Structure formats: structure tokens, C-alpha cells
Amino acid sequence: MTPNTARRKETSRRAILTAAFDLSQEVEYAKLSIEGIAARAGVGKQTIYRWWPSKGAVLFDAFLMLSEGAEGEQPALPDTGDLEADLTAVLRATVAELNDPRYEQPMRALATEIAHDPELAAAYAERLDGPLKEAKRQRLRSAQRAGQLAEGLDLDVAVDLIWGPVLNRWLQRGAPLTTEYTDLVVTTALNGLRSRATTETAG
Amino acid sequence: MTPNTARRKETSRRAILTAAFDLSQEVEYAKLSIEGIAARAGVGKQTIYRWWPSKGAVLFDAFLMLSEGAEGEQPALPDTGDLEADLTAVLRATVAELNDPRYEQPMRALATEIAHDPELAAAYAERLDGPLKEAKRQRLRSAQRAGQLAEGLDLDVAVDLIWGPVLNRWLQRGAPLTTEYTDLVVTTALNGLRSRATTETAG
Amino acid sequence: MTPNTARRKETSRRAILTAAFDLSQEVEYAKLSIEGIAARAGVGKQTIYRWWPSKGAVLFDAFLMLSEGAEGEQPALPDTGDLEADLTAVLRATVAELNDPRYEQPMRALATEIAHDPELAAAYAERLDGPLKEAKRQRLRSAQRAGQLAEGLDLDVAVDLIWGPVLNRWLQRGAPLTTEYTDLVVTTALNGLRSRATTETAG
Amino acid sequence: MTPNTARRKETSRRAILTAAFDLSQEVEYAKLSIEGIAARAGVGKQTIYRWWPSKGAVLFDAFLMLSEGAEGEQPALPDTGDLEADLTAVLRATVAELNDPRYEQPMRALATEIAHDPELAAAYAERLDGPLKEAKRQRLRSAQRAGQLAEGLDLDVAVDLIWGPVLNRWLQRGAPLTTEYTDLVVTTALNGLRSRATTETAG
DNA sequence: TTGTAATCGAGACGGTACGTCCTGTCTTTCC
DNA sequence: GGAAAGACAGGACGTACCGTCTCGATTACAA
């Protein structure tokens, strides 16, 4: 039932993933079709259906191929010792990527597929977002060890507190995603919403 | 060119919106079709195409109808004076709604339509999310006036800092959305990530 | 369930039948596809599937359209009083048609569809072959009344005895279908296989 | 180019022919596929494509295998001296076979392949129908020598006059194929259509 | 006795067509 | 003129086969 991976044709696999990624930026999401991907890749439709369970899974693998090609396995955030500066810099890069016409539509496509497909979401969490999230946690852990972050801090929550607002604003298009906004998110997340005076004098 | 709203049949309009909402929870998103909505509503397809520009717009109006029916126009967050308790309670209610099988699929459907359609996003931001966001801002403003929140705080960012992580985790399915998580988000957002000692000595 | 014939688009119907007939002579039978007919006719596939149950049924209607266009309702065989001459002439015309490149492939296509589809065969027997067969019977009946044919003769069998060998040789390609052959079939069928002497002395 | 027959695997060949024949009676003609035959025979598709040029050729060989297995090489018609009785008996057996569910569909399948494939038709005429037709001619020749059939009779035409109507009615499904019909065909073919009185008095 | 070359089962491949579903438009008929 | 109904051209779906191809694994002939 599961096809024999050994006999798989690597050139076709790459052609499909490349076609999927390229088309997802060229045509609007609703018109991204398996038929179109197969045609662009010069491949029979069955070759796609044989190896991937859904359009979203193809897209996911396309991103995976890209990320594997680009990175030297373990990604890491910059660590200059200045956490706020480092986070600000990273988020500015993220904003640039999210607004980059080469990536925006493909990323929206993947994000919405994930929103409707738990299995795909799990794969994403594990294989694409996982390493990235670990890098983020590492940077925060480093700052925590240096006494810059609260001791009892839940690092997962901390990561969400910084990236959650940004990703949510981007995906839901509440407002344009700017570096001013992300800079402010970093500062506010680090300092918290509370009035300093209140807490400090209370202490 | 624009159809005459005066002659519009209200019963058909409501039937369409009800059918759209109901179907969006019954069938998986990919199988939600205008054809299906029309059939369920007992309405000609043209009646939908005449009044709405897209499937997402129908869904949007369906939510609008629901929200108008339920609320007395201006929504407001509870204000007991204890900000953390109030936010925690509100977020717990939000989690319950996001996880409610009656709303989860329809909300995901609307969210993904928004992610691909700027016009729809603008309508959402203005008419559905707008009043809600204003209520959130109001609650924070009240706390700010009471000296509980930092003076220079950007309330839009503050709102995002609390709701962004939650909505992002829900939509991207990074992990199950629990009240433990949202409670922690509230506390962490209010207190900030930084170590108190650090900031104080640094100040 | 059954589509509403009243709203049917006549131009599409004719385009489909014309395309079906034309393609059945241009491409080899195995490559005659509904998809191809729809494309040639400039029609959606569904329009074919809506009105015809099978490829053979389309082909059948194509022949029906042709025959209705050509004939003034009741076909008749020539009746000069000389039965053998009349039959010979008719069969020569039949041979010409069966060997005519415009008709050969379409007719083979229809014949083989009939061979596998009893419903289609019944429709053929009633609507296409029926009137023709009646004309053949009529001519024989006329000869019978004139005392030229045996009194107890079963006219259905008589018709088969003349046309059966011809059609069978054509369809099964046992040997080239020539007028020499059909002339001989007519003579032999009329006279019978038996030696005259034998029967007479036996009588 | 031509594969080496010496190395051919006989068990696969038989499995293929058996599967082809069996499937041609089990599934409707349009669903008879090389893929299905290979699967049923437990054979790679290439093994079929290596040795046969077409589906019809496989079917033809399947019939050939059957006919060689059953018969002692030269078939012969019964010759009791009573031609009419002998022909009637043979045709009754033919009718039984044509109506036998074990043979009907396979025979229709072969017949329609032949109708579209001249090469296959030639092979059929020579190797399958040839010996049978020779036997029919032999029986008629015997009767002719005994003075029962007209001297100048063309035996090929004579054979067609008897079997043509039967095969044509069977293949085109004009009407159910019964022994009453074939009995009548034999009698009528032998006696001819003409009125005896006419010919006799004319003589 | 051991290559070595062809056949074999298996099944992936680029394609074509299937028959179904839906899109967005159009037309008919009723109200 | 809006509405229900639904036919229409078109396009994508996911499946089934086509005929070709490549892969080891037999298998038989020649060295």
C-alpha cells in the first residue's frame, strides 16, 4: 500500500516541490491546483497523489526542501549579550521575509492549510517550526542564565509572547506589519504591561 | 449595476447566512461550496452571487448576523478593578469558544478566508473585530488610568500582546489551547519577561 | 433527476452530435473519447453526461440526426418489378456506403457499441434499423404478392438471408466487400442452395 | 527486436491467456484492461506487452489455446447424408454456444476487436475461423457431390448464406437468437426465397 | 561452473481519459 | 426586477489504465 520509496524518482520529486512553491507565489491561493503543479513540473498527477496525501503536504515539503537547502541544520539566533537588540533584529528580518513577495503568498498558503489540517500542523510543528522554536528558546534561556529574564519564566510562553502578536497581525492582516510595530512588541513584552512604579514601590 | 437593495428578500438572505454558518461547521472547509450553501438554503445560486462577492463574504455576513443578534451593540469587558482576574476570565471564555465544536470550524474558515483576502480582512477589522478590540482597549485604558499599567503603553500593542499568542496558537495548532496556557500568557504579559531585579538595579 | 428537456440548448446538442460523428471517422475507435467530443464541440463534458448515458448513445443520436436530415421519413426500396435487379442495386449502394471512408469507421464504432450494449441495440433496432428493415420487408412483400417469392416465406428471415451475409462479412472483415459478392448473395439467396433437379424430382 | 521465444516462460503465457479469457467473461468489455489481466495472471505488465501487440491479440490467443486444447486439429461437420438435418444440428449447437454465458462475452469482445483491427481480422480468418470454414465448405461440397446442391454453387457464398444471418443477428442483437430462427434460416437458405411454382413452371 | 544476457514480477513514471463536482454566467418562468 | 431553478462552458478533482521504463531476482545458454 505504501509506495516503495527506493524506486522514487528524485528529479520528479524536486520538480514537483519547486513547481508547488513557485505557483503558490504566482497564482492566487484558490487557484493553486494539483493539476497545475503537475503540469508545471512536467509530471503525471498520479506521481503527486502517490507520494503526498494533500496539496498542503506538498507545500510543506516544498518549504522543507528550501529550509534544508538554506540552513546548516541547527539554526540559531544571534547572541550579542543584548537581548532586546538581538530580538529586535531577528523580528525585523522576520518582517522582511513575511512581507517579501517571494514568500508572502506561499507562507499564507501553508499557514491556512495548517489551520485546517491537524496532521499537517503536527508535521509543521515538529519539522519546520520545531528547530526554529528551539533556537528561540535557546536565546531566551541564555538571557535567563545571564539573569536578564525572570527565573520562573515559561520559555514557550515567552516565545509566543514575542512572536505570537507578530504572526497573528501578519496572518489576519489587522494592520500593516512594520518594524516599528515589532520593535514595540519586543520592548513591551520584555518590560510587561504593568506600571513599573506600581510593582517596584509595592515590592 | 449594483442590485437594488430595497427589493431584496430578507428571508432568503437569512437562509443563506444560516446555511453558510451551519455548513461551515458540518463539512470540512475544502468542501464548503456556494452550490452547497444555495441548496441548503433553498435558494438559487444567483441570489448568492448577486449579493456577495465571495464565499468568504457570505461567511463574514453570517458571523455578523450572529454577533448582531447576540450582543446589545457595544460589547464591554468586565471591570472589577482587578485587571489580571478580568483578563484571565475573558481569555478563558475565549478559549471555550475557540474550542467549541459549534464555532471552531466556522471561525477557522473565516480566518483563512481573511488571510487570503485583504478586502475581507478590512471588513473584518472594521465591523467584527473592531468593536471587540475597542472594548479590550477600554478595559486596558481603565487600568492605565488607575495606575496599574505603564503610562506610555501603546494599547494596541498591549491588546496584541495578550490576544496574539492565544489566537496564533489556536489557528496554527502549535499545541492544544488550554486555560493554563492563557492564564500564564496574561500573567507573563502583565509582568514582562525581564527579571525584576535586573531592571531595578539597571534603573 | 431527469434533466429538463425544455431548457436544453439545441446548438450544443447539434455541435456534440456533429463532433462525435466527425471524430469517429477521424480518430481510431479506441481514441474516441467523450473528452475529445466535448472539446471539439466547444462544450463542457457535463453537457454530454447530462443528456446521454454512454458514448455509444451519443454516436447513435449522431446517426439519427443524419438519417433524419437526409430522408423524408419513410424510406423505400426501388420497385421496378424486377426483384433481383432491385436488390442487386440496393446492395451495391450499401456496399458503397460501407466502404465509404466517411461512413466506415463511424458505422463500425456504432456496430461495436451495439454489440456490447443491449439497450443501445434495442434503440438501434427500433429507431434506426427499424424503418429501413420495414422498407426491405415491404419490397419483398410486394414481390411475394406478385407471386415471385414463396408463399409461406418468413420475410424477416428473408431479409436476414440477403443482408446478414453482407453485414457479417463487412464487420468481421472476412474478405473485402465487393459488388461481385453481393450480386452473388442476391442470386443465391433467391434461388436457394439446393439443386433444382433434386427438389423437383423429390417433390 | 523480436524477443527470443525460446526463453519464454510457458506458465506465464498460459496464465495470461487464461486470465484474459476469464476476465472477458467476468467484467464488462469496456473494463477489460491489460493491467487487470496482468494482475489476475500474477504477471508483470511488460510480459504482456513483450509478447502481444494488443489486447485483442491476447484475446485471440486465448481463444486459440482453447480451440487447440479442445479439438483434434481438423474439425469436421457431421455428415449423415441428410444435409438439412446436419446443418440444423450444427447451428443449434452454435446457438447454444453463442448464448452460453461462458462464451458470449468473450466472443463479443473478440468480434469487436476484429471489427476494428484488420491484422487481427486476418489472423482470425486464417487461424481460428479458417479451419472451421473449411469444414463447413467440406460438408457442403459433399452434399454438392451427392447432387443435393446446385452445381455452380459458390461454396463460400453458400456458407455465408447460412452462417451470416445467424452471426449478424447475434452480434447486432436484432432479436434473440433461437433455434427456431436458425432452423428457418437453414430451410430458407436451402430452398431459396423464390416461389417454387414460378421457377418450376418457368423451367 | 561460471558468467552473461534475456525474461520475469513488480511497480514508478508521464500521460490521457474517466465521470463527478463546482464555478460563475446565463436564461427561463414565476411572482 | 428579484427570485428559484437549473443548463451551460469550463476547469479541477481523485482514480484507472495506457504503454514505457527501470529495478533486482531468476533462469538458461555459452564459455
Short mmCIF file of all heavy atoms in Angstrom, two decimals, chain C residues 19-55:
data_model
loop_
_atom_site.label_atom_id
_atom_site.label_comp_id
_atom_site.label_asym_id
_atom_site.label_seq_id
_atom_site.Cartn_x
_atom_site.Cartn_y
_atom_site.Cartn_z
N ALA C 19 -19.68 16.68 -33.77
CA ALA C 19 -18.31 16.38 -33.33
C ALA C 19 -18.12 14.88 -33.16
O ALA C 19 -17.09 14.33 -33.55
CB ALA C 19 -18.02 17.11 -32.02
N ALA C 20 -19.11 14.23 -32.57
CA ALA C 20 -19.00 12.79 -32.34
C ALA C 20 -18.85 12.05 -33.66
O ALA C 20 -17.99 11.18 -33.82
CB ALA C 20 -20.22 12.28 -31.59
N PHE C 21 -19.69 12.41 -34.61
CA PHE C 21 -19.62 11.72 -35.91
C PHE C 21 -18.30 12.00 -36.60
O PHE C 21 -17.63 11.08 -37.10
CB PHE C 21 -20.79 12.16 -36.79
CG PHE C 21 -20.88 11.36 -38.06
CD1 PHE C 21 -21.57 10.16 -38.08
CD2 PHE C 21 -20.25 11.79 -39.21
CE1 PHE C 21 -21.63 9.39 -39.23
CE2 PHE C 21 -20.31 11.03 -40.37
CZ PHE C 21 -21.00 9.84 -40.39
N ASP C 22 -17.91 13.26 -36.62
CA ASP C 22 -16.67 13.62 -37.30
C ASP C 22 -15.47 12.94 -36.67
O ASP C 22 -14.62 12.37 -37.37
CB ASP C 22 -16.47 15.15 -37.25
CG ASP C 22 -17.49 15.86 -38.14
OD1 ASP C 22 -18.25 15.16 -38.85
OD2 ASP C 22 -17.52 17.10 -38.12
N LEU C 23 -15.40 12.98 -35.35
CA LEU C 23 -14.25 12.36 -34.68
C LEU C 23 -14.23 10.85 -34.91
O LEU C 23 -13.16 10.26 -35.04
CB LEU C 23 -14.30 12.66 -33.19
CG LEU C 23 -13.79 14.04 -32.81
CD1 LEU C 23 -14.01 14.31 -31.33
CD2 LEU C 23 -12.31 14.17 -33.15
N SER C 24 -15.42 10.25 -34.97
CA SER C 24 -15.44 8.79 -35.13
C SER C 24 -14.90 8.37 -36.49
O SER C 24 -14.56 7.21 -36.69
CB SER C 24 -16.85 8.25 -34.91
OG SER C 24 -17.68 8.55 -36.01
N GLN C 25 -14.84 9.31 -37.44
CA GLN C 25 -14.18 8.92 -38.69
C GLN C 25 -12.72 9.34 -38.71
O GLN C 25 -11.92 8.76 -39.43
CB GLN C 25 -14.92 9.48 -39.92
CG GLN C 25 -15.25 10.94 -39.86
CD GLN C 25 -15.90 11.42 -41.16
OE1 GLN C 25 -16.71 12.31 -41.17
NE2 GLN C 25 -15.52 10.82 -42.27
N GLU C 26 -12.37 10.34 -37.91
CA GLU C 26 -11.01 10.86 -37.95
C GLU C 26 -10.04 10.08 -37.08
O GLU C 26 -8.92 9.80 -37.48
CB GLU C 26 -11.00 12.33 -37.51
CG GLU C 26 -11.66 13.25 -38.52
CD GLU C 26 -11.83 14.65 -37.97
OE1 GLU C 26 -11.03 15.03 -37.08
OE2 GLU C 26 -12.75 15.36 -38.40
N VAL C 27 -10.46 9.77 -35.88
CA VAL C 27 -9.54 9.08 -34.97
C VAL C 27 -9.93 7.61 -34.88
O VAL C 27 -11.07 7.25 -35.13
CB VAL C 27 -9.56 9.70 -33.56
CG1 VAL C 27 -9.38 11.20 -33.64
CG2 VAL C 27 -10.83 9.36 -32.83
N GLU C 28 -8.96 6.78 -34.52
CA GLU C 28 -9.30 5.37 -34.41
C GLU C 28 -10.26 5.18 -33.23
O GLU C 28 -10.23 5.92 -32.25
CB GLU C 28 -8.05 4.52 -34.25
CG GLU C 28 -7.32 4.74 -32.95
CD GLU C 28 -6.17 3.74 -32.78
OE1 GLU C 28 -6.44 2.53 -32.79
OE2 GLU C 28 -5.01 4.17 -32.63
N TYR C 29 -11.08 4.18 -33.36
CA TYR C 29 -12.17 3.96 -32.41
C TYR C 29 -11.71 4.02 -30.96
O TYR C 29 -12.36 4.66 -30.11
CB TYR C 29 -12.82 2.62 -32.69
CG TYR C 29 -13.79 2.19 -31.64
CD1 TYR C 29 -14.97 2.90 -31.44
CD2 TYR C 29 -13.53 1.09 -30.84
CE1 TYR C 29 -15.88 2.51 -30.47
CE2 TYR C 29 -14.43 0.70 -29.86
CZ TYR C 29 -15.60 1.41 -29.68
OH TYR C 29 -16.48 1.03 -28.71
N ALA C 30 -10.58 3.39 -30.65
CA ALA C 30 -10.14 3.32 -29.25
C ALA C 30 -9.83 4.71 -28.68
O ALA C 30 -9.82 4.90 -27.48
CB ALA C 30 -8.90 2.43 -29.13
N LYS C 31 -9.57 5.66 -29.54
CA LYS C 31 -9.23 7.01 -29.08
C LYS C 31 -10.42 7.96 -29.15
O LYS C 31 -10.24 9.17 -28.96
CB LYS C 31 -8.07 7.56 -29.89
CG LYS C 31 -6.87 6.63 -29.91
CD LYS C 31 -5.56 7.39 -29.87
CE LYS C 31 -4.45 6.46 -29.38
NZ LYS C 31 -3.12 7.09 -29.43
N LEU C 32 -11.56 7.44 -29.47
CA LEU C 32 -12.76 8.28 -29.47
C LEU C 32 -13.21 8.45 -28.03
O LEU C 32 -13.65 7.50 -27.39
CB LEU C 32 -13.85 7.60 -30.31
CG LEU C 32 -15.18 8.34 -30.38
CD1 LEU C 32 -15.02 9.71 -31.03
CD2 LEU C 32 -16.20 7.51 -31.14
N SER C 33 -13.09 9.67 -27.52
CA SER C 33 -13.39 9.89 -26.11
C SER C 33 -14.45 10.98 -25.93
O SER C 33 -14.60 11.88 -26.76
CB SER C 33 -12.13 10.31 -25.37
OG SER C 33 -11.70 11.57 -25.84
N ILE C 34 -15.16 10.88 -24.85
CA ILE C 34 -16.15 11.90 -24.51
C ILE C 34 -15.44 13.24 -24.36
O ILE C 34 -15.93 14.27 -24.82
CB ILE C 34 -16.86 11.53 -23.20
CG1 ILE C 34 -17.57 10.19 -23.37
CG2 ILE C 34 -17.80 12.64 -22.78
CD1 ILE C 34 -19.05 10.23 -23.21
N GLU C 35 -14.29 13.20 -23.71
CA GLU C 35 -13.49 14.40 -23.53
C GLU C 35 -13.20 15.05 -24.90
O GLU C 35 -13.36 16.27 -25.06
CB GLU C 35 -12.17 14.02 -22.85
CG GLU C 35 -11.38 15.20 -22.38
CD GLU C 35 -11.14 15.13 -20.88
OE1 GLU C 35 -11.57 14.15 -20.23
OE2 GLU C 35 -10.52 16.06 -20.34
N GLY C 36 -12.79 14.22 -25.84
CA GLY C 36 -12.46 14.73 -27.17
C GLY C 36 -13.68 15.31 -27.87
O GLY C 36 -13.60 16.35 -28.52
N ILE C 37 -14.80 14.64 -27.74
CA ILE C 37 -16.03 15.12 -28.37
C ILE C 37 -16.43 16.47 -27.78
O ILE C 37 -16.75 17.42 -28.50
CB ILE C 37 -17.18 14.09 -28.17
CG1 ILE C 37 -16.87 12.81 -28.93
CG2 ILE C 37 -18.50 14.68 -28.64
CD1 ILE C 37 -17.80 11.64 -28.60
N ALA C 38 -16.36 16.57 -26.45
CA ALA C 38 -16.72 17.82 -25.79
C ALA C 38 -15.80 18.95 -26.25
O ALA C 38 -16.27 20.05 -26.57
CB ALA C 38 -16.64 17.66 -24.28
N ALA C 39 -14.52 18.67 -26.32
CA ALA C 39 -13.55 19.69 -26.73
C ALA C 39 -13.85 20.15 -28.16
O ALA C 39 -13.92 21.35 -28.44
CB ALA C 39 -12.13 19.16 -26.62
N ARG C 40 -14.04 19.18 -29.05
CA ARG C 40 -14.31 19.52 -30.44
C ARG C 40 -15.61 20.32 -30.58
O ARG C 40 -15.72 21.24 -31.39
CB ARG C 40 -14.39 18.23 -31.28
CG ARG C 40 -14.97 18.38 -32.67
CD ARG C 40 -14.00 19.07 -33.63
NE ARG C 40 -12.89 18.20 -33.97
CZ ARG C 40 -12.79 17.49 -35.10
NH1 ARG C 40 -13.73 17.57 -36.02
NH2 ARG C 40 -11.73 16.73 -35.33
N ALA C 41 -16.58 19.97 -29.76
CA ALA C 41 -17.89 20.63 -29.86
C ALA C 41 -17.90 21.98 -29.13
O ALA C 41 -18.87 22.74 -29.25
CB ALA C 41 -18.98 19.73 -29.29
N GLY C 42 -16.83 22.25 -28.37
CA GLY C 42 -16.79 23.50 -27.60
C GLY C 42 -17.83 23.51 -26.51
O GLY C 42 -18.56 24.48 -26.29
N VAL C 43 -17.87 22.43 -25.78
CA VAL C 43 -18.95 22.15 -24.84
C VAL C 43 -18.35 21.58 -23.57
O VAL C 43 -17.28 20.97 -23.60
CB VAL C 43 -19.88 21.13 -25.55
CG1 VAL C 43 -20.33 20.04 -24.62
CG2 VAL C 43 -21.06 21.83 -26.19
N GLY C 44 -18.96 21.79 -22.44
CA GLY C 44 -18.48 21.15 -21.22
C GLY C 44 -18.83 19.67 -21.23
O GLY C 44 -19.85 19.28 -21.79
N LYS C 45 -17.97 18.87 -20.59
CA LYS C 45 -18.24 17.43 -20.57
C LYS C 45 -19.59 17.13 -19.95
O LYS C 45 -20.31 16.22 -20.37
CB LYS C 45 -17.15 16.71 -19.76
CG LYS C 45 -15.90 16.44 -20.53
CD LYS C 45 -15.06 15.37 -19.87
CE LYS C 45 -14.45 15.83 -18.57
NZ LYS C 45 -13.70 14.74 -17.93
N GLN C 46 -19.92 17.90 -18.91
CA GLN C 46 -21.16 17.65 -18.20
C GLN C 46 -22.38 17.73 -19.11
O GLN C 46 -23.37 17.04 -18.89
CB GLN C 46 -21.30 18.66 -17.06
CG GLN C 46 -22.28 18.24 -15.99
CD GLN C 46 -21.88 16.92 -15.35
OE1 GLN C 46 -20.72 16.71 -15.04
NE2 GLN C 46 -22.83 16.03 -15.19
N THR C 47 -22.29 18.56 -20.11
CA THR C 47 -23.41 18.70 -21.04
C THR C 47 -23.64 17.38 -21.80
O THR C 47 -24.77 17.05 -22.16
CB THR C 47 -23.16 19.85 -22.01
OG1 THR C 47 -22.97 21.05 -21.25
CG2 THR C 47 -24.34 20.05 -22.94
N ILE C 48 -22.58 16.65 -22.03
CA ILE C 48 -22.75 15.33 -22.65
C ILE C 48 -23.29 14.35 -21.62
O ILE C 48 -24.29 13.67 -21.86
CB ILE C 48 -21.42 14.83 -23.24
CG1 ILE C 48 -20.95 15.80 -24.33
CG2 ILE C 48 -21.59 13.42 -23.79
CD1 ILE C 48 -19.69 15.38 -25.04
N TYR C 49 -22.65 14.32 -20.45
CA TYR C 49 -23.09 13.36 -19.43
C TYR C 49 -24.52 13.63 -18.97
O TYR C 49 -25.21 12.73 -18.52
CB TYR C 49 -22.14 13.39 -18.23
CG TYR C 49 -20.83 12.70 -18.51
CD1 TYR C 49 -19.65 13.41 -18.67
CD2 TYR C 49 -20.78 11.31 -18.64
CE1 TYR C 49 -18.45 12.76 -18.92
CE2 TYR C 49 -19.59 10.66 -18.89
CZ TYR C 49 -18.43 11.39 -19.04
OH TYR C 49 -17.25 10.75 -19.30
N ARG C 50 -24.95 14.88 -19.09
CA ARG C 50 -26.31 15.20 -18.66
C ARG C 50 -27.36 14.56 -19.55
O ARG C 50 -28.41 14.13 -19.10
CB ARG C 50 -26.49 16.72 -18.63
CG ARG C 50 -27.85 17.17 -18.15
CD ARG C 50 -27.80 18.57 -17.55
NE ARG C 50 -26.84 19.43 -18.24
CZ ARG C 50 -25.93 20.17 -17.64
NH1 ARG C 50 -25.84 20.15 -16.33
NH2 ARG C 50 -25.11 20.92 -18.34
N TRP C 51 -27.05 14.48 -20.83
CA TRP C 51 -28.10 14.07 -21.77
C TRP C 51 -27.92 12.69 -22.38
O TRP C 51 -28.86 12.16 -22.97
CB TRP C 51 -28.18 15.11 -22.89
CG TRP C 51 -28.51 16.48 -22.41
CD1 TRP C 51 -27.68 17.55 -22.35
CD2 TRP C 51 -29.77 16.94 -21.89
NE1 TRP C 51 -28.33 18.65 -21.84
CE2 TRP C 51 -29.61 18.31 -21.56
CE3 TRP C 51 -31.01 16.33 -21.70
CZ2 TRP C 51 -30.66 19.07 -21.02
CZ3 TRP C 51 -32.05 17.09 -21.16
CH2 TRP C 51 -31.86 18.45 -20.84
N TRP C 52 -26.72 12.13 -22.28
CA TRP C 52 -26.52 10.79 -22.85
C TRP C 52 -25.88 9.86 -21.84
O TRP C 52 -24.97 10.27 -21.12
CB TRP C 52 -25.63 10.87 -24.09
CG TRP C 52 -26.24 11.51 -25.28
CD1 TRP C 52 -27.04 10.90 -26.21
CD2 TRP C 52 -26.12 12.87 -25.71
NE1 TRP C 52 -27.41 11.81 -27.19
CE2 TRP C 52 -26.86 13.03 -26.89
CE3 TRP C 52 -25.45 13.99 -25.19
CZ2 TRP C 52 -26.95 14.24 -27.57
CZ3 TRP C 52 -25.54 15.20 -25.86
CH2 TRP C 52 -26.28 15.32 -27.04
N PRO C 53 -26.34 8.61 -21.82
CA PRO C 53 -25.81 7.68 -20.82
C PRO C 53 -24.47 7.08 -21.21
O PRO C 53 -23.79 6.51 -20.36
CB PRO C 53 -26.89 6.61 -20.76
CG PRO C 53 -27.51 6.63 -22.10
CD PRO C 53 -27.45 8.06 -22.58
N SER C 54 -24.09 7.15 -22.45
CA SER C 54 -22.85 6.50 -22.88
C SER C 54 -22.37 7.08 -24.20
O SER C 54 -23.12 7.75 -24.91
CB SER C 54 -23.09 5.00 -23.08
OG SER C 54 -23.93 4.80 -24.20
N LYS C 55 -21.13 6.82 -24.50
CA LYS C 55 -20.54 7.25 -25.75
C LYS C 55 -21.32 6.68 -26.93
O LYS C 55 -21.56 7.37 -27.93
CB LYS C 55 -19.09 6.77 -25.79
CG LYS C 55 -18.25 7.34 -26.89
CD LYS C 55 -16.76 7.04 -26.63
CE LYS C 55 -16.50 5.54 -26.57
NZ LYS C 55 -15.09 5.23 -26.27
#
